[in-house]
Amino acid sequence: EKKNNEASWTFCPAHPQYGQRLRRFDAASVDPEYAVDIKVGEPIIERKSTFQAFLAKDLNCIGQVNWVLRDLLSRPKLAKATHNIWAYRLVDKENILRADYDDDGEDGAAVKMAHILDLFDTNGSLVMVSRWFGGIKLGPDRFKIIAKLTQAILQDNGIQRHRNNSYVTNHKKDNISFSSVEASNISSGKKTK
């Protein structure tokens, strides 16, 4: 939908009955100055629901966040998702930490993603996990899957969690420092050690 400016755009969700909302983007959200690379994770299927993660790194302003969100939500496949859950964390050019998240109707999921971004101390990353509902309710397992995909896309792209929360770019594909017990605790809201 176009309003006022040819480049403005409104995302009209495919599944508003699941809590998705309209999202309006202004003309600046297509400015090539804000363009960044977006990494795509492998989809996983759990009881007929499909989940897939997306990552943008090296963000340093809200303009880039809006560019990434518009780019992702304008992709036909993602526009049809039941939920597009996202979280970001960045330090802007004025050295101010900016962070936000949106559950997109999957109540409680995005705060868990934001917590993982904090654990990984990812200054400059946005992660979106999209879910296409397959007809079978997953209960709390959906939060474990979302947490697992968030962690995996960070690690697959060279961002590792360290106990001292330092930002590490040395990536070892098979060295997962975030155990399933910790992912389970995150999904239940418990603090991990």
Side-chain angles (χ1 to χ4, degrees):
E1 175 180 328
K2 295 187 180 189
K3 294 183 179 179
N4 298 334
N5 183 325
E6 273 303 303
S8 66
W9 179 69
T10 300
F11 170 69
C12 298
H15 302 282
Q17 70 271 28
Y18 294 118
Q20 290 182 309
R21 300 183 315 271
L22 291 175
R23 181 169 300 280
R24 290 178 176 78
F25 294 92
D26 64 15
S29 65
V30 291
D31 188 332
E33 170 188 349
Y34 298 123
V36 295
D37 188 36
I38 299 173
K39 306 295 183 184
V40 179
E42 290 297 318
I44 65 165
I45 298 171
E46 178 68 29
R47 290 176 267 169
K48 298 184 180 180
S49 282
T50 302
F51 296 81
Q52 189 168 22
F54 304 86
L55 170 68
K57 297 189 328 180
D58 303 322
L59 306 179
N60 61 21
C61 68
I62 300 302
Q64 290 175 313
V65 169
N66 289 328
W67 185 93
V68 170
L69 290 173
R70 180 176 177 158
D71 181 80
L72 288 171
L73 293 174
S74 66
R75 296 177 184 190
K77 179 181 176 183
L78 296 182
K80 294 177 187 172
T82 313
H83 303 286
N84 289 299
I85 309 132
W86 55 263
Y88 73 83
R89 187 173 193 270
L90 64 88
V91 175
D92 68 14
K93 294 172 184 172
E94 288 79 39
N95 207 29
I96 297 171
L97 176 64
R98 309 265 182 199
D100 200 3
Y101 55 85
D102 187 350
D103 290 317
D104 197 36
E106 191 71 275
D107 294 340
V111 71
K112 289 158 186 53
M113 292 172 64
H115 182 67
I116 293 169
L117 293 178
D118 286 343
L119 288 173
F120 279 68
D121 196 24
T122 59
N123 293 327
S125 297
L126 180 147
V127 176
M128 178 182 283
V129 176
S130 297
R131 178 187 182 190
W132 294 266
F133 182 60
I136 299 171
K137 293 185 178 183
L138 301 180
D141 287 348
R142 69 190 190 275
F143 297 118
K144 293 175 189 173
I145 295 165
I146 291 164
K148 177 182 173 182
L149 285 174
T150 300
Q151 168 196 320
I153 199 157
L154 291 169
Q155 290 179 323
D156 289 347
N157 288 281
I159 303 170
Q160 296 272 335
R161 176 184 169 215
H162 261 214
R163 292 287 175 200
N164 64 3
N165 278 345
S166 64
Y167 187 82
V168 177
T169 57
N170 297 349
H171 175 62
K172 296 178 185 172
K173 188 164 178 75
D174 297 322
N175 181 11
I176 298 175
S177 63
F178 193 70
S179 73
S180 60
V181 172
E182 288 171 309
S184 175
N185 288 341
I186 286 173
S187 68
S188 65
K190 297 176 185 172
K191 293 259 183 194
T192 58
K193 294 182 182 180

